Amino acid sequence: MTVSNMDRAIKAIHAPLMMLPLKLLAIAMAVTVAGLVMWEPHQFADAIGGFGPVIAPLMIWATCSAMVFGMSFVPHRWYWQLLFSPIIALPILIYVLKLYFF
């Protein structure tokens, strides 16, 4: 696949996600996770089973990716679009918030 084909493919995959309600939900989830981590990190860590070597980096990455997506910032290069993909980030945030609230 050439670079332009890769760019078009990633944009086509992300196109159905470019809805305002989903972007607002992404921002809300990212701000909630960031707020919970900053407000009471020990309580949040206990509720989700600890900040392990897998969940902590994934949670930080998903929060950043959700903010990038929610603010409607679209990186120019295809590899940055892939790195900050909401397709992977949003399920991670949903999982973390589900662990905390349920």
Side-chain angles (χ1 to χ4, degrees):
M1 236 185 218
T2 65
V3 172
S4 61
N5 288 341
M6 184 69 89
D7 190 43
R8 279 195 293 266
I10 291 173
K11 285 184 180 178
I13 291 169
H14 287 161
L17 300 174
M18 297 299 171
M19 299 179 295
L20 183 62
L22 188 58
K23 290 179 181 185
L24 292 174
L25 177 65
I27 289 174
M29 288 192 305
V31 168
T32 301
V33 168
L36 288 169
V37 168
M38 295 190 65
W39 187 261
E40 193 61 50
H42 296 290
Q43 180 183 357
F44 185 60
D46 290 342
I48 67 169
F51 293 138
V54 175
I55 192 71
L58 283 177
M59 186 176 62
I60 293 167
W61 170 81
T63 302
C64 295
S65 295
M67 289 301 290
V68 167
F69 169 70
M71 297 302 292
S72 297
F73 177 74
V74 179
H76 290 289
R77 307 276 184 190
W78 66 268
Y79 45 85
W80 292 117
Q81 292 175 16
L82 192 61
L83 179 67
F84 293 110
S85 177
I87 295 171
I88 303 165
L90 296 180
I92 292 170
L93 290 179
I94 290 169
Y95 173 73
V96 168
L97 290 172
K98 189 179 112 180
L99 284 176
Y100 182 74
F101 288 111
F102 301 107

